[in-house]
Amino acid sequence: MDLAVKSELVEQVRTFTEWVGAGRKLTQTGRITLADAKALVPMLKTGDVLEQTIGSHVYRTRSSERLLNLMLVVECAKAAGLVRKTGHRLVPVKKNQALLDDPQKLWFALFTRFDKLGEAFLHSGFGESLLRPEFHDGSRAALALLYNTDGAVDIASLCATVWDVVSAPYVLEDLTELQLETLRITTDRDTERALDALQRLGAVTLGDKSAELTELGRSGMRRILGEPEAGDPIYQAKITLLEIEGLPVWRRVVVPAAIPLDRLHIVIQAAMGWENYHLHYFLDGNTYYGEAEPELQYRDERKVRLDDLVKPGGRLLYNYDFGDNWDHEILIEEATAATSDGRYPRCVAGQAACPPEDVGGTGGYARLIQILGDPGHPEHRDVVDWLGLDDPDQFDPARFNLDEANQRLTLGDLYRPNA
């Protein structure tokens, strides 16, 4: 689908690449020289401040590295493969210069690599936020929330989502209230700065307190997620966790028929509610498919599509966690065609909660449910603590939330390896 590209950042990247010409000298540290930066800031209209007067003092920028808007343009040109650094020179990549004549292809090249640009335009050193080192996950979490929402999203909600994601890898309990508040403020600041960059790219429109993906932004998200075009074949599959006592655990998902098995693995993890801690394999009755590890001797799941193995009515086995040994049956219920307004992969129905990780397989899960339901059991308190619950009723084996499953689907697919 052809979409009009209205992007300040695309035009800046094009102008910058043309300025590079046959090549430009860089500093010993591989940066744009300050003399060139002084010419580029007004040329590209980046809005960077080269010198600032405070009282009687004039503060001058001593390195182009501090001109963050300019650095974003430079790193975008590198990310799109238009220029590259060789020695102490910045030179054009001739094979990719055709992108300059195709704004839409250039836009998609920039959007799909946006998650790699955080270090280019976010503050480093004193006042650095948690978003800068965790920009891949933080930016994609924000995009996932925008993509999963019809209409605008409060910037406060986006900031909260980003904070939850980027702070997760760190132990922050030992920080003082002031230190924690400072980290939160700088992370919110950089989240808003990232949203501003996405607006300059034309992927987002910003209101006073909200953000919304543009049509171009939604198209870019579909590209990142590998969603099918309208009319492409899609499969409806029922994924059932086998040998579960009591209420069956299952999910019904709609996926591209041509989905590679490595992406189907991520879909199953997210739809079911697993946390992708352990190894897995697919089995079509004869051949094992999994990660390309020589010791496992599986066929590379990245090179096999779902419709290569099964048609409607066919079944596939998926095993997760070789210790707990969770077997899932994948039944292809029907094949239909993707629609222009559909989202794929998508969970459309389900039942019951996913068992906790490392619970001990089907037998361990049955025992956990029994103990949770018996406050007088000698191990009751230990099981509640192991689950990290304040109250045993917080874990409901019958609970399934469709919206949460679809949120995990989008986030899980965005975080898949090599995304």
Side-chain angles (χ1 to χ4, degrees), residues 22 36 41 64 79 91 114 118 131 138 142 181 197 218 235 317 340 351 412:
D36 282 341
V41 166
S64 63
V91 298
F114 181 76
L131 179 58
E181 181 183 6
R218 289 197 169 275
Y235 278 173
L317 181 75
S340 59
Q351 177 179 270

Side-chain angles (χ1 to χ4, degrees), residues 375-389:
H377 194 285
E379 297 180 44
H380 181 80
R381 187 70 254 170
D382 290 339
V383 168
V384 172
D385 291 343
W386 182 78
L387 288 170
L389 306 178

Side-chain angles (χ1 to χ4, degrees), residues 25-34 64 85 87-89:
K25 182 181 177 182
L26 298 173
T27 67
Q28 291 294 316
T29 58
R31 300 290 181 183
I32 299 291
T33 67
L34 194 54
S64 63
K85 185 172 77 72
H88 296 304
R89 287 182 64 78

